[in-house]
Structures are given as C-alpha cells and as structure tokens.
Amino acid sequence: MVLRAVAARLASSSLCHHHVLQAALLAPTSTSPTAFLHSQATSFGYKQVREDEKSKLVGNVFSSVASSYDVMNDLMSGGLHRLWKDRLISKLNPFPGMKHLDVAGGTGDVAFRVVERIKSVSHRATQGTLTDLEEDTHIYVCDINPNMLDVGKKRAAEKGYNEEHCLSWVQGDAEALSFDDGSMDGYTIAFGIRNVTHIEKALSEAYRVLKKGGRFLCLELSHVDVPIFKDIYDVYSFSVIPAVGELVAGDRKSYQYLVESIRRFPKQIPLHEEPYGG
C-alpha cells in the first residue's frame, strides 16, 4: 500500500503563505510517490550526504537544540507555532479512549495538547468524573532522539501528568515503528517529516499502524509563493534565524540546517491537483 498525499492550507489568513497542514489520505493509489519523495532522502539541508549518514547528522542537530527547542520555536515563529499546533489538534478531534501516536514529538508539545483536549471533552461529558473511556486513553510520544524525549518527560512531570496512565515515551524510528498493525486511532507528526531519511517509509509505517478509518495529520513548514513575502522570509530565514540560534542556543549551524531543510522539503500541492493518480 502507498499513500496519496494532498496538501490543505490551514486558513485564509496570511499565515497560509508560510505554513500548511499536510494530510495523507489513507487509500491505495495506482502510482507510487516514491520517486517524488525519495529525491529528498540524501539531502541534509543543502548538502548531499549518504543515506546512512543523514540520521546521525539529524540526531546531532536535535541533541544540540533539545533544551532550547521550544524557546527557539517561539522566537522563530513569533509564537505562531502554538496556534498552528492548536489547529492541528482541532483537525485531529481527539476523543476519550483514543489510542494516538505522535511521531517526532519528543518535547511533548503536541501530545500535551491531545491529552488536554481529551480531558476537556471528558470533563464536559461527565461533569468531572473519570470514565472507563478516559482510562483507556493512551498517547504515545515517539522520537528517535533521547535528548528530545528527556525534555518532554521533564515537561510532563512539571505539568503533573502521570505518564504511567495516559502518556508513554518511546524512543523509535519513524521509518520502523515498534507498534502493531492497526493499533492507532490517530497519528500526528509536526515539523518532523522533512527530517526523516526516507519519507515514503515513514508514510508507509503511518498507514500500517493506523486503524481502518484512522487519521493521519502532518504539520509542516511550507514554501512562500508571494514574491515580496518570499524575499522578506528568505532574509529572515537565512540571516535572522541562524543568528538568533547562535545567541540563544549557542548553535548557529543547527538552525542553519533547519532553515535549509524547509527549503529542501517538497512544495505544497493545491487541493485540486492529483499528483499520484486517482
């Protein structure tokens, strides 16, 4: 099975020029997207590297930025990444009893939102009493980088979450997940899919672990098409973000890579187009 990918803009505001919520329709297609996606497999930013090197290089980047990752996201996006993630969760529409997998989400930013939304839904429905469905809820945070997971676990403790009950932290590879076939109601990946070595393998694994009718949602940075905004965005990306990374995180090179990885990621595709056959 392969996935047919389509891109949907988040909203009609100016944010649409910068970011896109990319959703994969879980249905077989007649033409494989491998050739389209695999072209990014050996890129590390603007550099070409061997496939067996990329995961190590990406791992070094996120090990370096783990402790300052969320602060840098606020600085780089002006805090807007929080709104984009809120919209992601709104589209996911979590429910009590849900089994959900958040991949490349080591700091817990998306997982915490899923838990909070489920608790909010359950509270309204039961006037605050714990239901069997809520007890069955389980959110798995999967990340290949142990440093990112350590940040998430620390944040979970600060928030008072009992990770033994509804949150599990799993070190794992998006391209080879340890979860059973058809075991998840939902799968999210935010700002992570461009960092995997073989995007088509990560998508195939997402399809495998999702239940029939399960939901796949991918939040990713996109290209800017409007000329004047593109020029401003390019200056901001290549001049401001690496400099801020050096100032705040003491690491210019890692943020240079993050900017370049956005540019190397395939451009968003309008909803009316069917690039992989229908």
Side-chain angles (χ1 to χ4, degrees):
M1 292 285 187
V2 292
L3 301 176
R4 190 172 82 193
V6 296
R9 294 190 181 277
L10 279 175
S12 60
S13 67
S14 61
L15 297 184
C16 295
H17 299 300
H18 296 276
H19 294 78
V20 61
L21 188 64
Q22 297 183 324
L25 299 180
L26 303 180
T29 63
S30 57
T31 307
S32 171
T34 301
F36 175 72
L37 295 173
H38 197 69
S39 64
Q40 308 301 317
T42 55
S43 67
F44 178 73
Y46 286 159
K47 298 177 183 177
Q48 293 299 309
V49 298
R50 296 197 311 269
E51 290 182 356
D52 59 356
E53 289 182 314
K54 179 168 181 176
S55 60
K56 180 179 179 180
L57 292 169
V58 171
N60 291 338
V61 167
F62 284 95
S63 291
S64 176
V65 304
S67 62
S68 58
Y69 186 69
D70 288 324
V71 173
M72 281 300 300
N73 278 343
D74 279 328
L75 293 174
M76 288 190 298
S77 70
L80 291 175
H81 75 101
R82 298 174 183 272
L83 299 179
W84 300 325
K85 289 172 182 173
D86 287 343
R87 183 65 184 274
L88 178 77
I89 302 308
S90 177
K91 290 292 185 180
L92 177 65
N93 195 24
F95 55 87
M98 186 180 200
K99 301 295 187 295
H100 181 74
L101 175 61
D102 182 48
V103 175
T107 64
D109 223 23
V110 170
F112 298 149
R113 283 172 165 79
V114 175
V115 172
E116 288 162 6
R117 178 64 67 90
I118 289 173
K119 288 185 176 296
S120 175
V121 170
S122 180
H123 180 83
R124 290 198 302 270
T126 63
Q127 288 77 48
T129 61
L130 189 66
T131 67
D132 291 339
L133 278 178
E134 187 176 359
E135 289 182 331
D136 290 339
T137 301
H138 211 111
I139 312 302
Y140 299 89
V141 182
C142 179
D143 200 298
I144 200 169
N145 192 295
N147 296 289
M148 297 289 279
L149 288 169
D150 287 343
V151 172
K153 292 175 185 177
K154 181 179 179 180
R155 292 183 65 199
E158 291 171 351
K159 288 177 173 289
Y161 290 131
N162 180 0
E163 66 179 87
E164 298 298 326
H165 171 56
C166 65
L167 273 176
S168 290
W169 306 86
V170 180
Q171 185 176 353
D173 188 343
E175 297 180 25
L177 297 171
S178 60
F179 302 94
D180 292 337
D181 295 0
S183 57
M184 298 294 163
D185 297 295
Y187 175 116
T188 50
I189 181 166
F191 309 133
I193 203 164
R194 71 179 187 275
N195 295 308
V196 303
T197 303
H198 302 101
I199 296 176
E200 75 280 4
K201 288 184 180 180
L203 292 176
S204 179
E205 280 291 272
Y207 184 95
R208 180 184 66 79
V209 302
L210 279 168
K211 297 176 182 179
K212 185 177 181 180
R215 306 204 68 191
F216 170 94
L217 291 173
C218 175
L219 179 63
E220 192 52 80
L221 296 147
S222 68
H223 295 251
V224 179
D225 296 326
V226 180
I228 187 169
F229 288 113
K230 181 181 183 302
D231 293 340
I232 295 171
Y233 188 52
D234 283 346
V235 171
Y236 178 71
S237 296
F238 290 102
S239 298
V240 177
I241 290 177
V244 173
E246 184 173 20
L247 180 65
V248 175
D251 188 346
R252 186 184 188 93
K253 290 184 178 179
S254 291
Y255 285 95
Q256 183 73 31
Y257 158 73
L258 292 174
V259 169
E260 292 176 2
S261 69
I262 297 168
R263 296 302 193 279
R264 293 288 294 172
F265 191 70
K267 290 185 177 181
Q268 61 268 35
I269 302 165
L271 280 173
H272 64 273
E273 295 186 17
E274 296 286 349
Y276 309 135

